[in-house]
Amino acid sequence: MKKLFVALILLSLCIACGGTQKATNLISSGNYENAFAVSIEKLTKDKNSKSSQKHVPILKEAYTKAAANDLQTIENLKNINTSESLKKIYGTYLNLDLRQDEVSVLQPLYFEGSEVQFDYKDYAKDIANAKNNYSSKLYSEATQKMKGDKLAARDAYKLFEELIYVNPTYKNNLTQLSQNAKNKGSSFVLVTLQNKVNTISNDSIRSVNQINSGNFDNQWIIYHDKKESKTTYDYQVDIVLNSLQFQPEKTEQQTVPQEAKIQDGWQYQLDANGNVVKDDKGNDVKVAKYKVVRAEVSLYQQNKASKLDGTILIKNRKTGATVSSTPIFGEAKFQHLYGKFRGDQRAIEQKYYDALKSKALLYPKDYEFIKYSVLNFKQKVTNLLANQQF
């Protein structure tokens, strides 16, 4: 028992030493941020234990050196004056302030009976200036980008969105400026629908040209199914429904003969003289008796289908040129298999059982085929436009 107790003490000491050694090694390698994180985690769990208090001087060293590193980084970035450098300056000041907060909530901290003091600085003004400088740069770059083409406007949109995230009150019209950049950077596409099929009502195809671009990966393509007078369209997609064909109701029959050899009871085994054969124990020997059974399976395949043929024309509204013409079809199919048999069911193969359990079904109505053909057509149109680059 004593040996176990000693082993547990040694193990706990190794774990404690392992934590401080890890943090010390991190400081030696110049990784002050991670050394700080290791010690903060340990002290947050229990700052009063002896093993945790060994982290206090390590924490102070990591804290001091990390702050010095950050301040030097800021000095090195001050003369670069790019949005990236200004963003990093702002983030570094925030990090300095956050690190101080993490230490202050643990105060007081003691090592070997003495309180360990940490230096603090008020970074509020530095953070405000850095935030303003970064915001100003974002605004300036975004405004300049808005003077360019669509691709430049897309960059401007990203800059405005970043500015709204960092400093939403920098200007009172940031949301509108962001929307302006979105509009300028977007390709607007008018989607029209032309129905040449008399048997399809316009009500049943009302949604075919309503494209939800929010489901697409490309946020820069905006589809309208109705023309808006204030919108300048870059492209036009004409969906043309050309024809609808039906494959009429048809039931195909196939007859499959079935034959199997099955066990049909037993009989005594006889020798050459017609006597019953005995086994080693003197018992009569019995053998299985087989017979051939037959049946006939009739399979009935019910079929009906419809096919909606159409064309997708993509035009450049500015030049009037046709960019592409793609045939598309939507289809609906009804297929049902059922079966009947006559004869001995034991002759029938397992694979026909499902069909034999089924019965003939009523064929769906024509309007149901039209509905599903239109849905299938719309899905293919959506897939085509999802991969279209405008």
Side-chain angles (χ1 to χ4, degrees), residues 123-366:
Y123 289 108
K125 185 178 292 186
D126 295 310
I127 291 172
N129 288 336
K131 180 179 181 180
N132 186 70
N133 291 338
Y134 180 43
S135 301
S136 177
K137 193 66 173 179
L138 288 172
Y139 184 81
S140 174
E141 289 185 358
T143 304
Q144 186 63 34
K145 291 281 187 183
M146 282 296 289
K147 298 176 183 179
D149 57 11
K150 277 186 183 296
L151 295 179
R154 294 176 185 183
D155 291 335
Y157 173 78
K158 294 175 184 176
L159 292 168
F160 280 129
E161 286 297 292
E162 171 72 1
L163 180 53
I164 290 172
Y165 175 76
V166 172
N167 195 356
T169 59
Y170 182 73
K171 297 284 184 182
N172 58 13
N173 63 339
L174 286 182
T175 302
Q176 184 59 53
L177 292 173
S178 176
Q179 187 59 52
N180 292 345
K182 181 73 164 63
N183 291 341
K184 184 174 180 178
S186 297
S187 291
F188 285 86
V189 183
L190 179 63
V191 185
T192 71
L193 179 61
Q194 183 179 356
N195 182 16
K196 295 182 179 181
V197 184
N198 294 330
T199 53
I200 299 181
S201 68
N202 288 333
D203 285 341
S204 64
I205 59 171
R206 190 181 304 278
S207 67
V208 170
N209 64 322
Q210 295 174 357
I211 307 299
N212 183 4
S213 54
N215 295 329
F216 299 163
D217 291 335
N218 192 340
Q219 64 170 321
W220 298 107
I221 303 175
I222 299 175
Y223 296 94
H224 288 175
D225 58 285
K226 294 179 182 178
K227 188 175 182 179
E228 297 182 0
S229 58
K230 295 182 179 180
T231 301
T232 301
Y233 292 96
D234 302 281
Y235 294 90
Q236 180 169 320
V237 174
D238 295 328
I239 303 173
V240 184
L241 305 182
N242 296 317
S243 64
L244 175 67
Q245 298 92 30
F246 276 97
Q247 176 188 315
E249 298 173 6
K250 183 179 181 182
T251 302
E252 298 176 342
Q253 181 182 354
Q254 178 188 9
T255 300
V256 184
Q258 298 284 280
E259 182 178 291
K261 185 179 180 181
I262 65 169
Q263 184 176 345
D264 184 32
W266 56 270
Q267 62 186 6
Y268 290 110
Q269 184 177 346
L270 303 177
D271 61 17
N273 296 321
N275 299 315
V276 177
V277 176
K278 304 289 186 179
D279 60 19
D280 294 340
K281 297 180 179 180
N283 298 318
D284 294 339
V285 175
K286 297 177 182 179
V287 293
K289 184 172 62 174
Y290 293 91
K291 73 174 182 179
V292 175
V293 293
R294 294 177 177 83
E296 189 176 82
V297 174
S298 296
L299 297 174
Y300 300 89
Q301 177 74 52
Q302 291 180 273
N303 297 289
K304 185 176 180 179
S306 63
K307 184 180 179 184
L308 176 61
D309 284 294
T311 307
I312 308 300
L313 295 169
I314 299 178
K315 302 174 183 176
N316 187 317
R317 293 268 297 194
K318 294 179 180 178
T319 65
T322 298
V323 176
S324 65
S325 176
T326 306
I328 284 194
F329 67 89
E331 58 183 347
K333 291 182 178 181
F334 170 79
Q335 290 183 329
H336 175 65
L337 180 68
Y338 69 96
K340 299 178 182 179
F341 80 95
R342 63 180 182 177
D344 195 321
Q345 187 174 355
R346 293 175 296 175
I348 300 174
E349 294 177 70
Q350 181 74 32
K351 64 181 180 181
Y352 296 116
Y353 282 12
D354 287 342
L356 293 173
K357 292 177 184 176
S358 298
K359 303 295 182 182
L361 298 178
L362 292 175
Y363 283 94
K365 302 296 184 182
D366 285 357

